[in-house]
Amino acid sequence: DQQVKQNSPSLSVQEGRISILNCDYTNSMFDYFLWYKKYPAEGPTFLISISSIKDKNEDGRFTVFLNKSAKHLSLHIVPSQPGDSAVYFCAASEDKLIFGTGTLLAVQP
Amino acid sequence: IAGITQAPTSQILAAGRRMTLRCTQDMRHNAMYWYRQDLGLGLRLIHYSNTAGTTGKGEVPDGYSVSRANTDDFPLTLASAVPSQTSVYFCASSDTQTGDTQYFGPGTRLTVL
């Protein structure tokens, strides 16, 4: 049973607009959440994280929101750029990281 | 450049053969991990090691074994490869063992025929 779910396999956004990637989880004991970005033929790279004691964390164009009551996590990218096109994985941790299935973001010029 | 290296980059293997995927990190991280990435399934943890000399089973350990003789190296062995082990394998490391930010290697693409 998938504890971390990314229900949208893909997302297409115009350059300059906002990209919103969503992630849902089932385990209320998760206390740390991360987003990774993956380009083809490369390993995932860490993007941004948030602790369960916060509801928002911002780093430049990237903001992660956490809604604990809904067990929902989202990543906002604004403005989106063509170089943001990649697969995005959310991950949650109580002890070990549990990854979602990934969302392929395509930013159209 | 500090980071994680994996070898080989890709490999085609006949079913039943033994294969060891190599992973080396130079960040002096305590914890290391092996994941497999499959379409529609994301990244799944195979085995991990919280510190040199210890290993543990992840979500999908069957058919794989690991060893952690020192801090830097964490090889993954397939004793007798099967086609369902066709996947992309990623090694990762983190400074601590409790869900800390993990740093990934470039991956090994393995095809078992």
Side-chain angles (χ1 to χ4, degrees), chain B residues 27-84:
Chain B
M27 297 176 281
R28 308 302 294 171
H29 283 169
N30 288 309
M32 297 186 74
Y33 313 85
W34 273 105
Y35 293 88
R36 59 179 288 174
Q37 185 197 359
D38 302 289
L39 193 63
L41 296 175
L43 291 156
R44 293 182 293 167
L45 182 65
I46 304 171
H47 283 287
Y48 64 92
S49 169
N50 288 332
T51 188
T54 70
T55 62
K57 293 181 179 181
E59 181 184 355
V60 287
D62 294 343
Y64 306 95
S65 63
V66 291
S67 61
R68 187 90 182 276
N70 57 61
T71 297
D72 299 342
D73 301 300
F74 191 43
L76 176 75
T77 297
L78 290 68
S80 179
V82 294
S84 62

Side-chain angles (χ1 to χ4, degrees), chain A residues 6-106:
Chain A
Q6 293 177 257
N7 292 318
S8 297
S10 64
L11 175 68
S12 183
V13 173
Q14 285 295 119
E15 181 179 5
R17 303 296 290 271
I18 186 171
S19 295
I20 300 176
L21 296 100
N22 294 304
C23 180
D24 297 296
Y25 61 95
T26 57
N27 186 348
S28 59
M29 298 301 292
F30 287 142
D31 57 6
Y32 189 58
F33 302 86
L34 307 90
W35 284 94
Y36 281 81
K37 177 178 180 179
K38 185 184 177 305
Y39 292 119
E42 294 184 10
T45 55
F46 169 72
L47 189 58
I48 193 169
S49 63
I50 188 167
S51 165
S52 61
I53 62 173
K54 294 186 174 182
D55 55 17
K56 178 182 175 181
N57 188 26
E58 193 171 352
D59 184 2
R61 296 185 298 113
F62 303 92
T63 303
V64 57
F65 294 92
L66 177 62
N67 183 333
K68 290 187 289 295
S69 61
K71 295 191 180 67
H72 180 79
L73 185 71
S74 64
L75 174 68
H76 293 210
I77 307 173
V78 56
S80 301
Q81 299 173 354
D84 295 330
S85 298
V87 176
Y88 289 79
F89 291 99
C90 66
S93 172
E94 177 190 2
D95 175 18
K96 296 292 177 281
L97 286 184
I98 306 294
F99 284 85
T101 51
T103 296
L104 174 63
L105 173 66

Side-chain angles (χ1 to χ4, degrees), chain B residues 77-96:
Chain B
T77 297
L78 290 68
S80 179
V82 294
S84 62
Q85 292 177 310
T86 294
S87 186
V88 181
Y89 292 85
F90 291 101
C91 180
S93 70
S94 65
D95 193 27
T96 65

